[in-house]
Every structure is written in C-alpha cells, then in structure tokens.
Amino acid sequence: MSFDLASLLSLAIPILIAAVAGGFLAGLFGIGGGAIYVPILYQTFEVLGVDHSVTMHLAIGSSIAIIVPTSVRSLVAHWRKDAVDWQLLREWVVAVPLGTVAGVTLATYASSEALRGIFAVLATLLGIKMLFGRVPYVLAQDLPGLAGRSIAGFCIGAFSALMGVGGGVLNNTFMTLFNRPMIQAVATSAGVGALISVPGLVAYIIGGWGDPLLPPYSVGFVSLAAVAVITPGSLLAVPAGAALAHRLSRRQLEIGFGCFLLLVAARFVYSLL
C-alpha cells in the first residue's frame, strides 16, 4: 500500500501537537507520552488505510520507539536535579525488561480488538488515578523487599508494553504508595521508561518482522515515518516539562490528562462495539 500525500498533510498538525504534548508530559510526569501517541497513531493509521488487523500493533510499537529518546532525555533532565532513585533502577534492570518482553510477546499474538480492549481498561484505571491525584495513604513507610520490588517491576514492564507507554503513571503510583516523594517518583519513572522502551522496541520489531500487511517504511511493528515525525517535537518539549515538574503544582494538568485518558478509553470501547 502507499500513503496518500493529502491525508498525510491533513494529519500533520494533530501529530505534531501530540508530539509536543507527549514530550512535555514526559518531562512533567516522568511518562513516555505513549498514552497520547497510541490513540493518535492508531487513528492516523486507520485513516491512511493500513490493514485494520495491524493498526493497533503498529501504533503501540511505534509509540514504544518514540519513547526511547524521550525517556532518556527526561531521565537526564531529572538526573541533573539529583532526584532519581538509582538504586531502584539498578534493581529493576532485569525485572522491568523481562516484564516488557512478556508484554510484547502477548501483544504480538493478540488481535487488534484485544489490544484495544486492554488499552481501554488500563487507560480507564490510569485516568481515574490521575483524576484523584496522589493516593492519600501509604501502604508502608518504604518500598518492599527485593522480591516485592522485582514483581512490581515485572508487572510495570508488562502492562506498559501492552499499552505502548513508558510506565510513568504506574511507577509513580507504586513509589508514592510506599511513601516516596512524588518528585523522586517522577524522576525515577523517566529511567523506568528507558528500561521499558529499549527492549520493547527490539521486541516489537522482531514480533512484526516480515508481516506483509504492514505499510511502507515499517520495521516490524514500528513505523519509521511516524517516529521521524513525532520524535523531534517530543525531544524539544521534554526540558520544559521537567522544569515545570520542579516548580509548579501539576494538579490541573493531572485532571486534564485524566480526562484525556478516559476519552481515549471511551473511543476504543466504541470501536469495539
């Protein structure tokens, strides 16, 4: 198949807006921006006539690819402010990637409808979490032992890979439930995004390798065209988000992002009816 130039141009503005918004949120919340990229890319591929059975796989895989540089830059921005929990990241250097590969393996064999359903459920839960903000109570005064942290890391990697996100909201929730400061959770989440996106990128490329239904300029379930358009805008917006994270309240943005997630979830549920 070939892309229609007029269709590409008509979608350029929303894609660029998504790029900037995703990059800003990556710095602000320590997320990779995937919750924004996936629905935009899914709709883009649908409009461009990509085969329906691979549009969701391609959207998630491309989102993971975009998260690689975004997460790394976000991590560097927070590292400079000495807010990252490097000990936790070192302990997760195996658990999170293993969970990511498990999630990608499941996604590779799942149907487009199943992936949309999974995304809708997880987006609904995350959206509700964002609307309520920080959980007003803690489960313990510090993180659980190594076994508990490893299980948590594996689950964060797996669920994030299924959604095409960087795991920031999941990790923020996990760390704050165990009495860690929000700013440390946000900063550490940028590193979690890197642990998810790098093995996730490789796994999505392998999982979709040689699929005849993929559009031009695709490497496995990764659209190089989408990555080339979105990545620059995302990278430019990351420092602004990181700077704001260390200065201002994020409550209004949390509410806005939560509403966005719920709207996206509703859109995917509607597509399944």
Side-chain angles (χ1 to χ4, degrees):
M1 64 165 292
S2 61
F3 288 143
D4 176 73
L5 181 58
S7 297
L8 280 173
L9 292 176
S10 68
L11 292 165
I13 292 178
I15 290 176
L16 289 174
I17 291 174
V20 174
F24 181 79
L25 289 169
L28 183 62
F29 295 115
I31 67 175
I36 291 178
Y37 303 141
V38 170
I40 291 292
L41 289 173
Y42 169 77
Q43 193 63 45
T44 300
F45 295 140
E46 286 282 311
V47 171
L48 292 174
V50 176
D51 192 282
H52 188 67
S53 63
V54 297
T55 49
M56 194 63 181
H57 297 77
L58 194 61
I60 294 175
S62 300
S63 174
I64 288 288
I66 295 164
I67 289 170
V68 174
T70 304
S71 295
V72 171
R73 182 155 192 185
S74 181
L75 175 61
V76 171
H78 286 291
W79 184 6
R80 290 172 178 167
K81 297 183 181 295
D82 196 29
V84 180
D85 185 342
W86 288 105
Q87 179 179 348
L88 180 60
L89 290 181
R90 285 193 294 270
E91 292 171 345
W92 274 356
V93 76
V94 174
V96 171
L98 279 180
T100 300
V101 172
V104 175
T105 301
L106 179 58
T108 299
Y109 291 101
S111 65
S112 177
E113 290 76 14
L115 288 179
R116 276 178 279 150
I118 292 171
F119 191 99
V121 170
L122 294 178
T124 298
L125 295 175
L126 295 180
I128 293 173
K129 162 61 176 64
M130 296 299 286
L131 289 179
F132 279 97
R134 178 169 179 168
V135 179
Y137 57 85
V138 295
L139 297 179
Q141 292 305 306
D142 202 357
L143 298 176
L146 181 59
R149 293 195 296 272
S150 297
I151 292 173
F154 181 90
C155 292
I156 289 172
F159 287 128
S160 298
L162 283 169
M163 285 188 72
V165 302
V169 178
L170 296 173
N171 181 64
N172 290 349
T173 303
F174 169 70
M175 291 186 69
T176 54
L177 278 173
F178 289 92
N179 204 36
R180 289 301 179 89
M182 175 57 82
I183 193 61
Q184 184 185 64
V186 167
T188 306
S189 289
V192 173
L195 292 178
I196 290 169
S197 59
V198 174
L201 169 62
V202 175
Y204 270 110
I205 289 176
I206 295 174
W209 191 265
D211 192 320
L213 300 177
L214 293 172
Y217 310 112
S218 296
V219 180
F221 288 130
V222 176
S223 170
L224 298 181
V227 173
V229 171
I230 292 181
T231 301
S234 296
L235 291 176
L236 290 174
V238 164
L244 188 59
H246 289 266
R247 291 181 180 180
L248 303 176
S249 168
R250 300 178 301 280
R251 188 67 194 119
Q252 289 182 327
L253 284 171
E254 285 180 336
I255 293 173
F257 188 44
C259 291
F260 172 82
L261 286 173
L262 293 178
L263 287 173
V264 168
R267 165 68 180 88
F268 280 129
V269 169
Y270 179 77
S271 73
L272 295 171
L273 299 179

